[in-house]
Amino acid sequence: MFRTASRPRIIGRGAVLVAAVGTLLAGCASGGDQGPDPAPPAAGAGADVRLAVIGDSITQADGNVPRGRIGPTSWLHTATGQGARFAGGWARAGATTEDMLAAATPVDADVLVILAGTNDPRAGISGEGTADNIRAVVDRVGVEQVVISAVPPRDSAPEIAVATNEVLAELADDEGWEFVDAMEDVREDDRYAPGMTDDGIHPTARAAALIGEALGEAVVAAGAD
């Protein structure tokens, strides 16, 4: 069973790059409702890492990711204040990995973050199907550096997130991608920690910020590769 208490937050070949975060944070940009830069600079000294995303309601939150608007309660709002800039992508509340594959398009970015899979089991998509869909999404988006995030808890059925995270961790390991347990600080015993959710499914603004901190750190580390 997937357990994260003994795991480092970033698992995989990119873990050794965490030490590079400090040097890249000096070029951090603010988040907010800014659209993607049509011609962002390449990652490097003094430049933000260009971040592409594919996700569901946890990413979309109160913004409009396909239109380039980041809502203040999305994890993206925090992540893009840590040395990453939003370069494009897609998200929609309730989206399955099949929906994501249908909507995914190429993005000119340095790092792709995928936070996906939590809606698949109830749509009848198997773990194998989730993995296959994510592989196809990565191929379609066309970004080399990939960060796969753990999905958030589902308090009424915690086993869904546990099983999905096992699939995602194995997929990342097989493909040489980074698996990040971005939910570590918002989860307690396979459910949301107190104060981290209002409905047992979606994170609060505070929880979203914690998720954004973890993913922002992983993005900057991956972008230094």
Side-chain angles (χ1 to χ4, degrees):
M1 180 173 291
F2 179 84
R3 287 292 183 270
T4 58
S6 61
R7 290 179 179 266
R9 174 168 286 167
I10 302 177
I11 303 173
R13 58 187 175 84
V16 297
L17 297 172
V18 173
V21 172
T23 60
L24 286 174
L25 286 178
C28 64
S30 61
D33 298 335
Q34 298 298 316
D37 189 330
D48 292 334
V49 177
R50 298 171 300 171
L51 166 61
V53 298
I54 296 289
D56 51 30
S57 61
I58 307 300
T59 300
Q60 179 84 323
D62 54 351
N64 190 325
V65 170
R67 292 183 177 274
R69 296 198 295 269
I70 299 172
T73 63
S74 170
W75 64 266
L76 273 170
H77 184 77
T78 299
T80 52
Q82 296 186 186
R85 70 158 38 172
F86 179 63
W90 186 89
R92 192 191 71 197
T96 66
T97 56
E98 287 182 351
D99 297 325
M100 296 171 193
L101 178 56
T105 57
V107 180
D108 185 11
D110 303 302
V111 180
L112 169 64
V113 173
I114 297 180
L115 204 173
T118 191
N119 298 309
D120 281 10
R122 292 189 173 182
I125 301 172
S126 67
E128 182 179 0
T130 294
D132 288 344
N133 289 336
I134 292 176
R135 288 189 185 97
V137 166
V138 171
D139 287 343
R140 188 164 295 179
V141 176
V143 176
E144 182 177 354
Q145 297 292 336
V146 179
V147 171
I148 303 293
S149 174
V151 298
R154 184 179 292 268
D155 286 357
S156 63
E159 68 279 1
I160 291 178
V162 171
T164 299
N165 286 331
E166 289 175 348
V167 169
L168 297 175
E170 182 176 355
L171 170 65
D173 186 61
D174 288 346
E175 298 295 329
W177 300 333
E178 310 299 339
F179 177 81
V180 179
D181 182 11
M183 309 301 156
E184 180 179 2
D185 291 337
V186 307
R187 188 182 57 235
E188 183 177 290
D189 296 330
D190 297 331
R191 290 178 169 83
Y192 275 103
M196 294 296 171
T197 185
D198 292 326
D199 61 6
I201 299 175
H202 301 95
T204 61
R206 172 57 180 155
L210 292 171
I211 295 167
E213 288 175 6
L215 290 176
E217 177 182 292
V219 165
V220 172
D225 190 357

